[in-house]
Amino acid sequence: MTDVTPPGDPAPLLSVTDLSVGFKGHTETVTVVDHVSFSLRAGETLGIVGESGSGKTVSSLALLGLLPASARVTGSAKFDGRELVGMPPRKLRDVRGNDISVIFQEPMTSLDPAFTVGNQLSEAYRNHRGGSRRKALDRAAEMLRLVGIPEPQRRLGEYPHSFSGGMRQRVMIAMALICSPKLLIADEPTTALDVTIQSQILELLKSLQAELGMAMIFVTHDLGVVASVCDAVSVMYAGQVIEESPIDEFFSHPLHPYSAGLLDSMPQSVAKGERLRMIAGTVPPPSRFPVGCRFHPRCKYVVEACTTTPPELDSVEGDRKVRCIRHAELTLEVAK
Amino acid sequence: MLTFIIRRILALIPLLFIVSVIVFGLILLVPGDAAITLAGGDAATRPRILLVRHQLGLDKPFLSQYVSWLGNALHLDFGRSLYSNQTVVSEVWQRFPVTLQIAGGALFFGLLIGVPLGIISGIRPRSVTDRAVVIGTSAAIAMPSFWLALILVLNLAVYRQILPSRGFVQFSTSPYEWFRHLLLPWISLGVLAAATIARQLRGALADVMSSDHIRTSRSKGLAPIKVVGKHGLKNASAPVLTVVGLQVAYLIGGTVIVEQIFGIAGLGTYVLTAITRDDLPAIQGSVMFIALLTVFVNLLVDISYALLNPKVRVE
Ligand SMILES: Nc1ncnc2c1ncn2[C@@H]1O[C@H](COP(=O)(O)OP(=O)(O)O)[C@@H](O)[C@H]1O
Ligand code: SF4
Ligand SMILES: [Mg+2]
């Protein structure tokens, strides 16, 4: 667990333990997320980082039971005293959009094109809070104002196609927050947007979080975003957590060669004129995860033992964890 | 929305013009001297030939024949039947309600069966129920409606005598008998409509259900009935509507055969009789009427399409 909880503090808001997800195929079940654990307290932000295909989205959707029927989810996810894994669908629906909300990577397609924005927003509100249509629409207008959409009353009557990508993501945020959830899962909320819009949405999420006091899981492949938003970070690779750490220690000295590689490839850590240092290779598909350390085909520090022994997630320095058999002997330097 | 409807109606004018040319051109298909053939061929008497020639304006050049025919047609005047001497319009109008009841009932049957089947298989593609629906609808689509009609008549009307095999009873005379007489025609025609609608809805709904916005709806905590019934169906309805529009044309065509099998004097029987008797005005008038009807139904489909899909209205 990313124990950002100092000893003696109240129980975490969400505590995920050994969460695994497999997808049933024609012949066998492919495990895509493998014993993932993390936790966070009320009001905190946890970053989940990793390249595309490492299992970030699947892990977040698994928490709310939003995966397709072919998914097999095991492990535990305790939220506010309730177990989410295996929770009956009716109970889970009371949690979705009410206690925990999600915003997705695809703002262009995540709103229903056949209904007005006002209809979709007020539907989210009335589903949990009931009350009149009028009252729900007032609340919807208030939310649109909160996320910085001008002329909210008029825009409530419009369909998603008359909103730009950035505006649609604002609408999604308004919809996610309309019932004041305790936790917001933001799955790469800015990846599909233009750079200038990206920073606006990011600023908006930060200010809303401060204002509403909710906790946030921020899924991203961009460490720059993590640095500006998160209290702690959990790095995923090939379906596993490979490092967990409070944010400052992580940026000053990463423990896992993959984390170091990610930090090295941040545009900020590259001097002007120098080429971006990317980690060579790509994340393998779940059906071809390597034996031993899953990162070993791409690791600069690989030794014989890495190719045979799967490393455990070891605790180090009290509140950090790392999954690398050589972590004690390696000193990873990140270019500044 | 109003400008959308007006634009659609204006767009129909060239289409209707082409249809009118084709319908009028039917006269060119009449072999030999049209007046003699239409007057009864070898058995035709001299006065009758002259009458037919004059009635149809066959003594004038082709273009002016068409212009005067079209002029009359615009006033809903398709001339008189060469046999009954009644106006074609009054005869068509008399027969049409029966055919409407057959086709409308069959479409209702198609929706009643097709929509639920499409939903249960579309929300769980490749499940056992879905496979059963796919097999069943494939069989139904492959089965000609006259064959189905004959099997139904043999089993339910001839051997078991549960339902009447022929005829028609007005609703105002006896609603019960009306229903009993129309049930087999409805099923014979409606099974194909049901299967086609089910298949189209299945595909459309399966697509929609795997889309991002459905995931959003579920993430809001909506119950499945809301997710499928509201967001799923509204998005899946556009392609289904298109199919319903096409089905109406098939159903009207299908009534020709079904009316024959069940001995019902509807528009289909009328067209068929007119054709066997070379009653040209009757053929032209009824075909034009059916074409207008089909165009009108498709206009309704276009309008509902726009009502369901906000983007269409803007374009
Ligand atoms: N419905 C699914 N069925 C089978 N495999 C899936 C499904 N959804 C995702 N996966 C696989 O799970 C892995 C992790 O995907 P994902 O969580 O989307 O990655 P990330 O969000 O980190 O980019 C990928 O290899 C992807 O192919
Ligand atoms: S276990 Fe070996 S291969 Fe894996 S990260 Fe550590 S050094 Fe690299
Ligand atoms: Mg993702």
Side-chain angles (χ1 to χ4, degrees):
Chain A
M1 265 187 246
T2 315
D3 222 346
V4 284
T5 321
D9 258 27
L13 176 69
L14 174 70
S15 129
V16 174
T17 318
D18 291 334
L19 184 77
S20 297
V21 183
F23 286 102
K24 238 180 84 183
H26 290 295
T27 48
E28 44 172 13
T29 301
V30 181
T31 303
V32 162
V33 168
D34 191 3
H35 293 87
V36 162
S37 304
F38 55 81
S39 79
L40 79 165
R41 288 182 307 176
E44 273 177 353
T45 302
L46 170 70
I48 298 185
V49 192
E51 288 164 291
S52 182
S54 47
K56 308 181 298 292
T57 298
V58 169
S59 309
S60 349
L61 295 180
L63 294 178
L64 284 176
L66 290 173
L67 291 168
S70 58
R72 299 286 170 271
V73 181
T74 57
S76 156
K78 273 227 157 55
F79 174 79
D80 222 7
R82 285 168 288 173
E83 176 59 56
L84 297 177
V85 176
M87 186 183 258
R90 288 184 63 101
K91 285 254 172 63
L92 201 51
R93 292 206 295 273
D94 290 339
V95 176
R96 291 180 190 155
N98 193 19
D99 297 314
I100 306 179
S101 287
V102 208
I103 51 178
F104 301 99
Q105 189 175 345
E106 303 85 4
M108 295 310 285
T109 50
S110 288
L111 290 164
D112 188 334
F115 291 92
T116 61
V117 160
N119 184 312
Q120 296 180 60
L121 282 167
S122 55
E123 176 184 49
Y125 184 73
R126 292 181 75 203
N127 187 51
H128 295 293
R129 298 292 145 87
S132 69
R133 209 169 286 263
R134 187 67 258 154
K135 188 169 159 255
L137 280 172
D138 286 344
R139 171 77 180 157
E142 185 190 320
M143 290 309 294
L144 287 190
R145 198 172 304 114
L146 192 66
V147 298
I149 293 182
E151 295 185 79
Q153 282 298 348
R154 184 176 64 77
R155 306 231 67 180
L156 281 180
E158 292 181 1
Y159 288 87
H161 65 77
S162 46
F163 288 74
S164 67
M167 281 295 160
R168 286 189 209 192
Q169 198 60 297
R170 284 174 195 264
V171 172
M172 281 297 293
I173 294 170
M175 193 152 77
L177 302 185
I178 200 162
C179 292
S180 322
K182 298 195 185 79
L183 170 64
L184 175 67
I185 302 175
D187 186 0
E188 310 212 25
T190 61
T191 305
L193 303 171
D194 293 345
V195 183
T196 47
I197 313 287
Q198 280 189 10
S199 56
Q200 288 174 15
I201 297 287
L202 215 57
E203 285 310 312
L204 174 68
L205 281 171
K206 274 201 316 199
S207 73
L208 285 173
Q209 190 189 16
E211 198 174 331
L212 308 171
M214 65 192 172
M216 184 154 77
I217 294 179
F218 201 97
V219 177
T220 180
H221 60 249
D222 181 354
L223 277 175
V225 174
V226 170
S228 75
V229 191
C230 302
D231 303 307
V233 60
S234 187
V235 183
M236 285 190 71
Y237 185 81
Q240 294 177 319
V241 172
I242 53 98
E243 175 164 0
E244 303 168 350
S245 170
I247 203 76
D248 293 340
E249 288 93 318
F250 180 79
F251 280 94
S252 63
H253 63 287
L255 295 176
H256 196 283
Y258 179 62
S259 311
L262 285 179
L263 285 166
D264 252 351
S265 59
M266 282 171 69
Q268 294 92 316
S269 64
V270 177
K272 246 204 165 88
E274 196 184 345
R275 285 192 53 200
L276 222 59
R277 291 177 295 267
M278 301 303 291
I279 311 173
T282 52
V283 185
S287 51
R288 274 187 274 129
F289 284 158
V291 187
C293 171
R294 291 183 182 174
F295 183 59
H296 84 251
R298 301 173 70 188
C299 184
K300 281 197 281 197
Y301 307 96
V302 61
V303 294
E304 186 68 37
C306 304
T307 62
T308 51
T309 324
E312 296 291 318
L313 193 60
D314 295 330
S315 295
V316 268
E317 302 175 18
D319 55 1
R320 303 184 67 180
K321 291 193 175 184
V322 59
R323 191 189 293 274
C324 168
I325 55 171
R326 300 190 63 197
H327 69 82
E329 48 182 299
L330 293 175
T331 317
L332 302 166
E333 286 303 327
V334 177
K336 272 278 129 62
Chain B
M1 194 64 207
L2 193 66
T3 50
F4 171 84
I5 296 174
I6 292 170
R7 275 214 317 268
R8 279 301 147 105
I9 292 176
L10 291 179
L12 292 179
I13 291 174
L15 175 69
L16 287 174
F17 174 74
I18 293 169
V19 172
S20 77
V21 171
I22 293 171
V23 167
F24 183 75
L26 288 174
I27 198 164
L28 298 177
L29 298 178
V30 178
D33 181 341
I36 297 175
T37 314
L38 295 178
D42 294 340
T45 60
R46 183 88 194 136
R48 176 141 176 90
I49 293 172
L50 290 177
L51 179 74
V52 167
R53 182 168 290 153
H54 177 70
Q55 220 179 45
L56 300 183
L58 294 176
D59 39 7
K60 297 195 204 96
F62 185 75
L63 193 63
S64 75
Q65 282 177 41
Y66 172 70
V67 170
S68 73
W69 180 82
L70 186 64
N72 292 334
L74 287 176
H75 298 94
L76 289 181
D77 174 7
F78 291 95
R80 286 170 185 277
S81 157
L82 296 179
Y83 285 84
S84 66
N85 215 25
Q86 305 263 345
T87 64
V88 171
V89 169
S90 70
E91 289 194 320
V92 164
W93 202 238
Q94 207 187 333
R95 302 293 195 102
F96 175 58
V98 184
T99 300
L100 182 68
Q101 287 166 52
I102 299 174
L107 182 63
F108 181 75
F109 177 88
L111 289 167
L112 194 71
I113 306 293
V115 169
L117 283 185
I119 293 175
I120 60 167
S121 67
I123 54 174
R124 290 209 183 285
R126 288 181 298 280
S127 65
V128 177
T129 23
D130 173 50
R131 279 168 214 261
V133 168
V134 168
I135 293 171
T137 49
S138 304
I141 288 168
M143 188 162 47
S145 54
F146 74 87
W147 187 71
L148 178 64
L150 290 175
I151 292 198
L152 288 172
V153 168
L154 278 179
N155 278 293
L156 297 176
V158 178
Y159 297 144
R160 304 234 174 87
Q161 311 203 326
I162 305 170
L163 290 168
S165 63
R166 292 179 67 76
F168 175 77
V169 172
Q170 292 289 349
F171 183 81
S172 52
T173 313
S174 159
Y176 177 65
E177 284 303 321
W178 171 81
F179 183 80
R180 274 169 43 88
H181 280 82
L182 283 177
L183 194 56
L184 290 183
W186 285 341
I187 297 176
S188 319
L189 279 178
V191 162
L192 175 64
T196 318
I197 290 167
R199 285 298 278 273
Q200 191 69 32
L201 183 54
R202 170 191 184 267
L205 194 59
D207 272 1
V208 172
M209 290 310 290
S210 62
S211 65
D212 291 339
H213 67 81
I214 288 292
R215 183 180 61 187
T216 305
S217 294
R218 300 211 299 136
S219 79
K220 293 198 274 193
L222 298 183
I225 182 102
K226 260 270 170 95
V227 176
V228 177
K230 178 179 173 182
H231 297 278
L233 278 187
K234 189 167 179 192
N235 282 283
S237 58
V240 176
L241 263 176
T242 312
V243 159
V244 169
L246 288 173
Q247 279 301 310
V248 170
Y250 287 126
L251 285 174
I252 293 173
T255 54
V256 175
I257 292 161
V258 167
E259 284 175 13
Q260 290 300 303
I261 293 175
F262 292 96
I264 299 175
L267 200 54
T269 324
Y270 183 73
V271 178
L272 213 58
T273 317
I275 290 171
T276 53
R277 294 203 294 208
D278 289 334
D279 190 348
L280 194 67
I283 299 173
Q284 287 173 331
S286 41
V287 170
M288 201 63 211
F289 179 80
I290 290 171
L292 273 173
L293 189 68
T294 312
V295 165
F296 176 70
V297 168
N298 279 287
L299 178 69
L300 289 186
V301 167
D302 275 359
I303 293 171
S304 354
Y305 207 98
L307 283 175
L308 284 167
N309 187 345
K311 255 194 208 156
V312 174
R313 262 173 280 166
V314 182
E315 277 153 20

